[in-house]
């Protein structure tokens, strides 16, 4: 599903060179519920951005669904990301002037889906994440937990093979955060979608079935956990 082979991401910081990722190798199978954790500056967000085709790497190779990413043009990466990857952000990244329905359905419009199918798929997805009846509300009319549910629906509606979540509970209280994690785990089990989190939240780490720890851009621990 995802394979990093000796991947490095290097930044120039004045006169010094910083390796945000330093020859990282990692494989992720389909259907995993995996958390990438580590202190600030460990490289976890960099790794998530590389897997999400939001950034480029300097050394090694990254494969997603057996496709090598390194040689892709920006246009090819954008098309690949749109088709195969879903994203959940800590700040939700919803469009404030659009309703919950519109925030989810526009993803399918980008894929040129037929209008009737867009409506059916969007309403079904919003119902699955517990938002039936709230389709017409804009983000400002929803709680933080409800907004994150819209973000989850948006990420899953196009049936991506991988969903990447960057600190998905950071702006939620612990009770709501646990509800969101339970929802994502249910979606993972029901749909077989691979979830990869970047986090420093102990609760997210506890929910993960596999925990990868980074330090100074290197994998220092890779632990399988109970379900």
């Amino acid at each position: 599903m995802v394979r990093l082979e000796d991947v490095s991401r290097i930044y120039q910081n004045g006169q010094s060179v910083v390796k945000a990722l330093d020859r990282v190798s990692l494989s992720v199978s389909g259907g995993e519920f995996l958390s990438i954790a580590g202190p600030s500056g460990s490289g976890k967000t960099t790794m998530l951005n590389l897997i999400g085709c939001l950034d480029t790497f300097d050394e090694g190779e990254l494969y997603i669904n057996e496709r090598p990413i390194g040689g892709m043009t920006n246009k090819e990466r954008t098309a690949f990301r749109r088709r195969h990857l879903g994203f959940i952000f800590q700040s939700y990244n919803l469009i404030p002037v659009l309703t919950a329905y519109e925030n989810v359905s526009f993803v399918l419009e980008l894929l040129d889906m037929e209008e009737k199918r867009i409506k059916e798929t969007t309403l079904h997805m919003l119902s699955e994440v517990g938002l039936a009846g709230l389709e017409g509300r804009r983000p400002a009319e929803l709680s933080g937990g409800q907004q994150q549910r819209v973000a989850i629906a948006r990420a899953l509606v196009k049936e991506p093979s991988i969903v990447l979540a960057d600190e998905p509970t950071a702006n939620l209280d612990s009770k709501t955060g646990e509800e969101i994690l339970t929802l994502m785990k249910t979606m993972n089990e029901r749909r077989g979608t691979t979830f990869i989190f970047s986090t420093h939240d102990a609760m997210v780490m506890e929910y993960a079935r596999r925990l990868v720890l980074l330090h100074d851009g290197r994998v220092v621990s890779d632990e399988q956990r109970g379900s």
Side-chain angles (χ1 to χ4, degrees):
M1 181 65 68
V2 177
R3 191 167 81 253
L4 292 86
E5 294 184 350
D6 293 323
V7 169
S8 295
R9 181 64 173 104
I10 302 167
Y11 295 100
Q12 191 77 32
N13 185 12
Q15 297 299 312
S16 61
V17 172
V18 177
K19 278 197 170 185
L21 286 183
D22 187 3
R23 294 176 60 82
V24 167
S25 293
L26 183 74
S27 292
V28 182
S29 301
E32 289 205 53
F33 200 72
L34 178 149
S35 178
I36 302 167
S40 178
S42 62
K44 58 186 185 296
T45 298
T46 298
M47 182 183 287
L48 207 71
N49 287 341
L50 293 181
I51 297 171
C53 300
L54 297 170
D55 194 7
T56 57
F57 46 92
D58 300 288
E59 298 172 351
E61 185 56 274
L62 165 65
Y63 299 87
I64 301 176
N65 297 340
E66 300 303 322
R67 289 276 304 277
I69 304 301
M72 288 185 180
T73 64
N74 286 336
K75 185 176 180 180
E76 288 170 335
R77 279 200 309 274
T78 298
F80 184 85
R81 184 170 64 240
R82 183 177 293 170
R83 177 63 61 180
H84 297 284
L85 305 174
F87 297 88
I88 301 168
F89 303 94
Q90 60 175 301
S91 55
Y92 318 134
N93 281 18
L94 302 179
I95 301 171
V97 297
L98 299 184
T99 64
Y101 176 91
E102 292 165 338
N103 265 286
V104 175
S105 65
F106 92 91
V107 175
L108 301 179
E109 291 169 8
L110 292 174
L111 298 177
D112 295 324
M113 187 179 285
E114 188 259 334
E115 186 174 343
K116 181 182 178 183
R117 190 177 166 210
I118 288 176
K119 183 175 181 180
E120 291 172 351
T121 305
T122 300
L123 291 176
H124 176 72
M125 192 70 251
L126 286 168
S127 178
E128 273 208 74
V129 300
L131 292 176
L134 301 179
E135 302 90 348
R137 293 194 184 181
R138 291 183 171 84
E141 301 170 311
L142 298 169
S143 68
Q146 289 169 335
Q147 290 183 62
Q148 195 62 301
R149 286 172 184 265
V150 176
I152 293 168
R154 180 184 59 190
L156 288 169
V157 73
K158 62 183 178 181
E159 298 187 353
S161 52
I162 303 164
V163 170
L164 302 164
D166 185 18
E167 300 284 5
T169 60
N171 290 325
L172 304 172
D173 62 71
S174 58
K175 181 178 182 295
T176 305
E178 189 165 6
E179 290 173 355
I180 291 299
L181 286 168
T182 299
L183 172 61
M184 288 191 282
K185 199 163 192 176
T186 299
M187 293 302 205
N188 163 258
E189 292 166 354
R190 183 182 300 166
R191 291 170 165 258
T193 307
T194 302
F195 278 78
I196 303 176
F197 301 90
S198 163
T199 191
H200 65 269
D201 185 340
M203 184 168 61
V204 178
M205 298 180 213
E206 189 64 31
Y207 265 75
R209 288 196 293 268
R210 180 180 172 192
L211 180 62
V212 175
L213 295 179
L214 297 182
H215 187 75
D216 291 339
R218 295 182 175 181
V219 174
V220 294
S221 175
D222 187 348
E223 175 189 355
Q224 295 287 344
R225 304 159 71 89
S227 56

